[in-house]
Structure formats: structure tokens, C-alpha cells
Amino acid sequence: MKNELAKYNRLILVAHPEAVHAKLVAEGFLHYCTETEFQYLIQSEIDEKISE
């Protein structure tokens, strides 16, 4: 799967902290990113004014 993601500079997970499975999803996401040395960002909301 990492080959398919190679075109991206980093992965961004948007997970509201009060969501039922947010903690488990964030833990799995963090584990994947650290194991594959992929840059990542975890956000709790999307700010439409920011464009990167």
C-alpha cells in the first residue's frame, strides 16, 4: 500500500475526538505512519481557509 501512497507528501487524518471510534482509528493511523516512516498530521476538524 505504501507504493500507492508514495505520490503524497503526508497523510492527514481528520477525526473528531468525540466520535465513537476516533481513538482507535487514530491509534491505527499513527501506528501505520510510524512503522512506514510516513509523515502525517492528525486534525480534529477541517479549516476551509487553509490551503496547502
Side-chain angles (χ1 to χ4, degrees):
M1 181 187 289
K2 187 173 180 185
N3 290 338
E4 297 170 6
L5 299 174
K7 62 184 173 184
Y8 301 106
N9 294 326
R10 69 177 170 183
L11 300 177
I12 301 174
L13 173 68
V14 180
H16 194 278
E18 295 177 14
V20 176
H21 296 95
K23 183 178 178 183
L24 294 174
V25 171
E27 288 174 359
F29 178 80
L30 181 60
H31 180 261
Y32 174 80
C33 290
T34 55
E35 287 292 315
T36 59
E37 298 181 351
F38 219 105
Q39 291 190 17
Y40 65 92
L41 177 64
I42 299 176
Q43 296 279 126
S44 60
E45 60 185 52
I46 297 173
D47 185 353
E48 294 180 20
K49 295 179 182 178
I50 297 175
S51 61
E52 294 184 44

